Amino acid sequence: MGYPNVNTLWAETLAEELAAGGVDAVCLSPGSRSTPLTVAFAEHPEIRTFSHLDERSAAFFALGRARRTGKPTPLVCTSGTAAANFHPAVIEADQSGVPMLLLTADRPPELTDSGANQTVDQEKLYGDAVRWYRDMPEPEAEPRKVRMLRTTAARSLAAATGSTPGPVHLNCRFRKPLEPTPVPDDDPEGVPDDWADGDRSAAEGRDGPFVRTEQGRPELPADEVVRVARAVEAADRGLLVAGPADDGLAPEALEKLAAATGFPVLADPLSDLRFGPHVDRLDAPVCGGYDAYLGSDAVASWADPDVVLRFGASPTSKPLRHSLRDSDCRQFVVDPAGGWTEAEFTASDLLVADPNATASALAERVTARGEASWRRRFAAAERAHWNAVEDALAPGERYWEGGVLADAARLAPDPTTLFVSNSMPVRDLDRFGRPRTANLTVLGNRGASGIDGITSTALGAGSATDDPLVLVTGDLAYYHDMNGLLALGRCGVDATIVLVNNDGGGIFGILPIAEHDTFESQFRTPHGLDFGPTGDLYGLEFRRVGDRAAFEEAFEKSVDSAGTQVIEIQFDSGESHDRREELTERSRRAIATR
Amino acid sequence: MGYPNVNTLWAETLAEELAAGGVDAVCLSPGSRSTPLTVAFAEHPEIRTFSHLDERSAAFFALGRARRTGKPTPLVCTSGTAAANFHPAVIEADQSGVPMLLLTADRPPELTDSGANQTVDQEKLYGDAVRWYRDMPEPEAEPRKVRMLRTTAARSLAAATGSTPGPVHLNCRFRKPLEPTPVPDDDPEGVPDDWADGDRSAAEGRDGPFVRTEQGRPELPADEVVRVARAVEAADRGLLVAGPADDGLAPEALEKLAAATGFPVLADPLSDLRFGPHVDRLDAPVCGGYDAYLGSDAVASWADPDVVLRFGASPTSKPLRHSLRDSDCRQFVVDPAGGWTEAEFTASDLLVADPNATASALAERVTARGEASWRRRFAAAERAHWNAVEDALAPGERYWEGGVLADAARLAPDPTTLFVSNSMPVRDLDRFGRPRTANLTVLGNRGASGIDGITSTALGAGSATDDPLVLVTGDLAYYHDMNGLLALGRCGVDATIVLVNNDGGGIFGILPIAEHDTFESQFRTPHGLDFGPTGDLYGLEFRRVGDRAAFEEAFEKSVDSAGTQVIEIQFDSGESHDRREELTERSRRAIATR
C-alpha cells in the first residue's frame, strides 16, 4: 500500500492534507518521538523545512512567518519540555491573532503519567490560548479514522486562520516504531487504494484538500452601514485611527474612506498604513507624529474630535490612547474578530465586520466631509513635528535612539520588511518614524509586547519574501533571543540587524522607579555584554558604529549587500531619554507657535 | 506606618513571611509590573537576589538551586510572555518533585482580556503542573486580607515542599503606582502597628513565620513492616534498586538495609548513592555497571531476582528497567510521594512511606540474608566491568564520550556537585561512572529529561554551596541554554563545564532513524557552531582539548582554579557510539568468561 506502518500512513496523510490546504513550510525541531511527522514533512516535495534547535526560537520564527504571510507554518517538536518552549510564542500568537499550528509529539496513552522518560502532561498545555485543541487518537489504518485525520487537518487550518486567527494545538501520539520501518501487522488493508496512493481526491471528485474551507468575512447589514454613515457625516471633527494589525485595513479602502470623510488618519507604525504609496495619494493627512503632540499643551486649544473610527488593535501610543479616552465622543471600533481590544474602555460601538468592506461601504454612504480646518490643523502639526525631527537630525545635533528609528524608516529600501522590537524601538518608531511612500511592511510583537523571541520573529518574517529584512532591536531583546540568530545560516535568511545598545533596560528610565535605590541593580540591570563575539558565533558581520554618519553608511551598505550585518550603536539610556523629551518639547513648541 | 502604599505593604509582607519560612534567595527578572515584589525582595536583608534577564534560564536556575537545597528559590517576573518562559522548568519541577514558587506579576483585574499592553491570561498558566495555584486578590490594608497574605505565604511554601514537592504559582496583581511612592489614601490604618513594624510575631507569641508548618512524613504501620520484612527475608536473590532522587534514600539507611538483607545495590548515578563514603562500608556490592551487563547474554545463566526493593524514580538505565520488567517477582516501590513512577508497570507493592524510615524499620525486622553467591555474582560482574572500562582508558586506547564521563566522575574533587546533561552524558555516566567513596552530589534533570535549561540548572545548584561545580553537557544542551551562561558573572557562580561536542544529536545515532535518508538533515542536525566565542561573550575561559591527557590536565586545573572554564572535547558521534558498543561488548565478554 505504500506505507510501511500506521505511523507513516498517519503522518504522511497529515502532511499531505496540510500541503493541500496551503501549508508550504514547517518548522522542525529534532527529537525522537516526533520522527513520523519529521520524516513526512521532510520528504514532502512541496513543503519547505526550517530546522531549529531551540523550540522557543522555532515558535517565534513560525509566528513571524505567519505574520508576514497570513498562513500558519506548522511547528513540530518532540515530547516533554520541548512543547512548553513553544508557550511564549503561542501567547503572542493568541494575543495578536496570528495563525499557528502546533504539532506536539507525545507518548501513547498507556504511558501517560507513568514516569516514562520524556513523558509529561501535554494535554491542553497552552490552556485557553489556543483556538482549538485535539488530543489525537492513536494512528490506525481504518477508513473512518483516516477520514477524521484528513478532516482534522483541514479543520486545524480553518481554526487557525478563521474569523479569530490564532494558535491550534494537535497533540500527536505515536507508539514505536517511529521510523518508516515495515510492520507487517500494520498493513493498512482497510484504507482504500485511492486514498493511499494520493489519488483519492480526484477519485472522489474532491478538489485539493479533503475538505476545502471557505471562511466568510463578517459584513454589516446595509441599514447598519447607513446608521454609522449618518453618525460619521454628522461629525465636523472626525479621526480615522489605525492601530496595529497584520491583516487590517488596506490602503485602498482607507483611501476611499479618507476621501469620503476628509478625516485625518492617525497611523500606528504597526498598522501597515504609516508607510506606502497611499501616503501621498490620500485626501487627508496621514499622521505619524501624534505621539509627540496629542494630549500636550501645544494642542490644548484644539476641540475634541466628535467621532472616531478605529481599526486594528489598541494603538501603541499612550498619548493617543489617553487622548481618545479623554475625548467624550462616539467611538466606533471595527474588528472582524470582535476582540474588544479596548483597554481604555472608550468604545461606544463595536462593529464586528471586515474592515475593508466596512470602510468601502461607509465611503459610499457618507455624503458630507468634516471641517477642513480640522484637517489642516493636523497637517500643520505634522509638518511642524517632522521639521523638528529633521532639525534634530542635522549635522552637529546629538544623535539619539529615536534618531536611529527615524533613519531606519527613512533609509529602508522600497520594499522592506521592517521589524521593530519592544520595548523602546517600537515607541521610538511611533514618535520619530515619518510617513513615506515606500512599501514598508512594519511588524512587531505587540500582542503581549514581550522582549522574547524578537530576533526569531523577525527572521521568520524575513524568510517569507525576498524583500530586504531590517530588524531594529535593543540589547535585552538581542540577548534574550540570541539563539534565534542560528536561523540566519540554518534557515537561509539575510538581515540587517540594528542593535540599539544601552546596556540594560532603558525603558525603566522613563518610569518612576528610576528614582529609587534598587533601580540600577534590579531594573536597569546593566549586563555589560560585548555582543561582538556573536559575529563569530553565528557567522554574521558585527559592526559597531559611533555616530549618525557611520550608522547611515553601514545601514545603506548592509541593505545593499548579502549576508547579515549587525550594526550596533551604543547610547546612554538616560541621555537618550532626556534627548527624546527635549525633542518632543521642541516639536510641541513648534506646533504651539506655528 | 512605614509603608508608602498598599503595594509596598503587600510585597514586603510577602517577602517577610517567605524569609521567615526559610527562603534565603530569590530569582528576579527585570520588569515593570513586578516592581513591588522586586523592591521588597531586593531590600530584604536576609534574602539574596539573583538577577536574570532570560526568564527561562531564571526558572531553571531556581530549579537547580532547589534541587541542591530542598528549598524553593522564588521566581519573580513581570506580566505577559515572561511568565510563559518559566513553563519548561515548571514542568521539570513537577515531574521530578522539586520545590518551586512562581510569583508572576499581573495587571489588576479590570484590565483582564482588555487589550491592555503586556496583559495576557496568566490564570492557571501552568495547568496541572503546579501543586497549588492562587490568583491573588488585590493588595489592601485590611487586617483579614493581610492575615490571608501571611497565611498564603506559609501555605505556598508548605505546598511546594510538602509530601509531593513541586511548583506553586501565585499570580500577583498590582495596580499603579508600582513604586514605593507615597499614596496618602493607602495609609494602612486598619493594620495594627505590631504587624506593620515587623514585631507582630513576638507580639502574638508566634515563633518565626505567621504559620509554622511541620510536614509529617508517611510511615508504615508496624504490621505492614513485618509483612514486607517476611517477603524480603524469604528471598534468596534480592535487589536494592535506587533510582534518581534528590532527597531519596540516605546512605546510612541504605547501609542498614544492605547489612540486613545482603542484597546488591544497583545505584543510579542520580540516586546520590553511586558515590560517597558508604560505597566501601556497605555490606554488599554497590553496582554501577549494570547498564552494560544486565539483560545481556553474559548474564543469561543467572537466575531472576525473587524480590526487588525500589527507591526513587524509574532508573535511567533501560537495560535495568527491562531486566526488572522481565523478572517475574515481587517488586516493592517505596515512594513517599506515591508517584507511581513505574513506566514498565512491574510493581507489585507501592509503599507510600518515607524511604529512610522504611529502610531502617525493615533492617530491624529482616532476620535472614539472601544467598552469598548472588552477591558475589554481582561483585564479580562489577569487577570485570570496571576492569574493562579501566583497560579502555589505558594509553593507546581510543578515547570516547563515555571515557569523559568516567574521568569526570573519577577526577571530581571530594566533595563536588556534578551535574550531567541529558541525553548522552547521564547515560554515559550510568554505564561508565565507577562508584567511589568521594562525596559527589550528582544531579540531572530526569523528570522530563529535556535538553533545555541544563546550564542554568547546574549553575543554580552550584550557587547553593561552596563545593566545586562540574557540569558535563553536550553541544545541543550547551547551545539551547547559552543564555544561562550569563549567570556565571552575574550571579557569581564558578564552574567547570565539560562540553562533549559531537556537532548535533548524537543520541539519534543509536536509534533506528540513523538508517534513513532524513537522518542527517532533520535528526542529527549538525550545526557546525564554533562555541569558542562564548568565552569572550560571557567572560569565561574556553579551552578545546584533543585527547585524554589534555582533558585530564585541563579538568584538574579547572577544578583547582577560580573562574569558569569550558573544556570542549570533540567527538564523532558515530565513532563514539561504536566505541560505546565495543566496550560494552568487552565488558560482557569479561563477565561471561570470568
Side-chain angles (χ1 to χ4, degrees), chain A residues 509-538:
Chain A
I510 69 174
L511 297 175
I513 193 67
E515 309 300 318
H516 290 272
D517 293 343
T518 49
F519 171 63
E520 194 72 6
S521 65
Q522 301 299 340
F523 291 89
R524 203 174 77 74
T525 59
H527 47 73
L529 284 171
D530 171 2
F531 291 114
T534 57
D536 286 337
L537 194 49
Y538 291 111

Side-chain angles (χ1 to χ4, degrees), chain B residues 473-555:
Chain B
T473 189
D475 49 293
L476 288 185
Y478 187 78
Y479 161 78
H480 211 291
D481 190 24
M482 211 135 55
N483 279 1
L485 294 170
L486 186 63
L488 289 168
R490 202 171 170 91
C491 300
V493 187
D494 279 0
T496 296
I497 300 179
V498 179
L499 169 53
V500 178
N501 187 349
N502 55 29
D503 191 19
I507 193 171
F508 295 113
I510 68 174
L511 296 174
I513 194 65
E515 308 300 318
H516 290 271
D517 291 344
T518 49
F519 171 63
E520 194 73 7
S521 65
Q522 302 299 341
F523 291 88
R524 204 174 76 75
T525 59
H527 46 73
L529 285 170
D530 171 3
F531 291 113
T534 57
D536 286 338
L537 193 50
Y538 291 110
L540 48 83
E541 298 167 47
F542 191 95
R543 184 158 170 207
R544 191 166 289 136
V545 298
D547 58 27
R548 185 177 184 228
F551 171 70
E552 285 186 307
E553 187 245 311
F555 186 92

Side-chain angles (χ1 to χ4, degrees), chain A residues 109-171:
Chain A
E110 67 270 20
L111 294 185
T112 300
D113 199 19
S114 68
N117 193 33
Q118 242 177 54
T119 305
V120 313
D121 180 6
Q122 298 176 193
E123 291 179 45
K124 303 203 170 181
L125 189 67
Y126 312 111
D128 292 338
V130 296
R131 302 292 173 270
W132 194 51
Y133 166 77
R134 285 250 17 216
D135 191 26
M136 295 293 281
E138 297 164 61
E140 207 180 318
E142 191 270 321
R144 191 175 181 190
K145 271 201 165 177
V146 176
R147 294 175 74 96
M148 178 286 299
L149 175 64
R150 292 189 184 275
T151 303
T152 297
R155 185 169 172 183
S156 66
L157 292 178
T161 59
S163 57
T164 56
V168 166
H169 178 201
L170 302 183
N171 194 47

Side-chain angles (χ1 to χ4, degrees), chain B residues 233-278:
Chain B
E233 66 195 16
D236 294 321
R237 298 173 307 280
L239 290 176
L240 303 181
V241 176
D246 291 333
D247 182 25
L249 188 59
E252 302 71 34
L254 174 68
E255 275 186 56
K256 290 186 213 161
L257 188 58
T261 61
F263 294 164
V265 179
L266 308 189
D268 193 279
L270 300 174
S271 67
D272 221 12
L273 290 172
R274 170 124 11 145
F275 308 100
H278 65 281

Side-chain angles (χ1 to χ4, degrees), chain B residues 383-466:
Chain B
R383 272 194 305 276
H385 173 72
W386 296 118
N387 286 341
V389 172
E390 201 164 310
D391 289 348
L393 288 167
E397 288 270 345
R398 188 151 53 81
Y399 206 38
W400 81 112
E401 296 177 18
V404 172
L405 273 299
D407 282 333
R410 187 176 60 84
L411 298 172
D414 182 2
T416 284
T417 300
L418 172 61
F419 200 97
V420 281
S421 173
N422 304 312
S423 50
M424 287 317 295
V426 65
R427 290 186 170 91
D428 274 337
L429 182 66
D430 198 9
R431 190 169 292 188
F432 301 113
R434 184 176 197 159
R436 58 182 276 233
T437 57
N439 276 302
L440 306 188
T441 303
V442 184
L443 302 173
N445 281 346
R446 284 311 277 181
S449 298
I451 59 157
D452 45 351
I454 295 294
T455 298
S456 295
T457 316
L459 299 189
S463 78
T465 75
D466 290 330

Side-chain angles (χ1 to χ4, degrees), chain B residues 32 100 165 204 234 270 272 283 339-340 392 418 447 466 484 487 492 531 561:
Chain B
S32 173
M100 180 177 272
E204 304 194 8
L270 300 174
D272 221 12
D283 194 22
W340 297 88
L418 172 61
D466 290 330
F531 291 113
S561 59

Side-chain angles (χ1 to χ4, degrees), chain B residues 9-261:
Chain B
L9 162 69
W10 204 253
E12 284 191 16
T13 302
L14 183 60
E16 179 189 317
E17 282 300 336
L18 291 176
V23 165
D24 57 8
V26 66
C27 288
L28 305 173
S29 295
S32 173
R33 191 58 48 170
S34 47
T35 296
L37 295 170
T38 298
V39 172
F41 282 116
E43 292 185 346
H44 196 287
E46 286 157 37
I47 296 182
R48 182 173 171 193
T49 57
F50 296 103
S51 171
H52 295 268
L53 300 182
D54 181 341
E55 294 83 4
R56 181 172 67 178
S57 298
F60 277 108
F61 187 95
L63 173 85
R65 208 176 146 86
R67 269 203 194 289
R68 190 67 182 86
T69 62
K71 293 194 302 188
T73 300
L75 284 150
V76 173
C77 72
T78 189
S79 64
T81 52
N85 281 281
F86 287 163
H87 204 168
V90 172
I91 289 177
E92 176 61 28
D94 171 27
Q95 299 267 132
S96 49
V98 176
M100 180 177 272
L101 177 54
L102 303 136
L103 305 172
T104 59
D106 201 355
R107 310 267 148 164
E110 66 271 22
L111 294 184
T112 300
D113 199 18
S114 69
N117 194 33
Q118 244 178 51
T119 306
V120 312
D121 180 5
Q122 298 176 193
E123 291 178 46
K124 303 203 169 181
L125 189 66
Y126 312 110
D128 291 338
V130 297
R131 302 292 174 268
W132 193 51
Y133 166 77
R134 285 253 10 219
D135 190 28
M136 295 293 282
E138 298 163 60
E140 206 180 318
E142 191 272 320
R144 191 174 181 192
K145 270 200 165 178
V146 176
R147 294 175 75 95
M148 178 286 299
L149 176 64
R150 292 190 184 277
T151 304
T152 296
R155 184 169 172 182
S156 65
L157 293 179
T161 58
S163 57
T164 56
V168 165
H169 178 200
L170 302 183
N171 194 47
C172 303
R173 298 178 181 274
F174 295 106
R175 188 176 290 111
K176 293 181 180 177
L178 304 166
E179 302 75 19
T181 306
V183 178
D185 286 355
D186 276 7
D187 190 28
E189 279 299 340
V191 180
D193 269 17
D194 53 353
W195 288 18
D197 67 6
D199 280 347
R200 54 97 189 95
S201 317
E204 304 194 8
R206 295 176 195 266
D207 167 21
F210 189 71
V211 184
R212 174 175 293 281
T213 313
E214 291 300 339
Q215 170 68 45
R217 302 273 289 174
E219 271 195 58
L220 297 183
D223 56 344
E224 178 66 9
V225 173
V226 170
R227 189 184 69 84
V228 179
R230 289 296 88 85
V232 168
E233 66 195 16
D236 294 321
R237 298 173 307 280
L239 290 176
L240 303 181
V241 176
D246 291 333
D247 182 25
L249 188 59
E252 302 71 34
L254 174 68
E255 275 186 56
K256 290 186 213 161
L257 188 58
T261 61

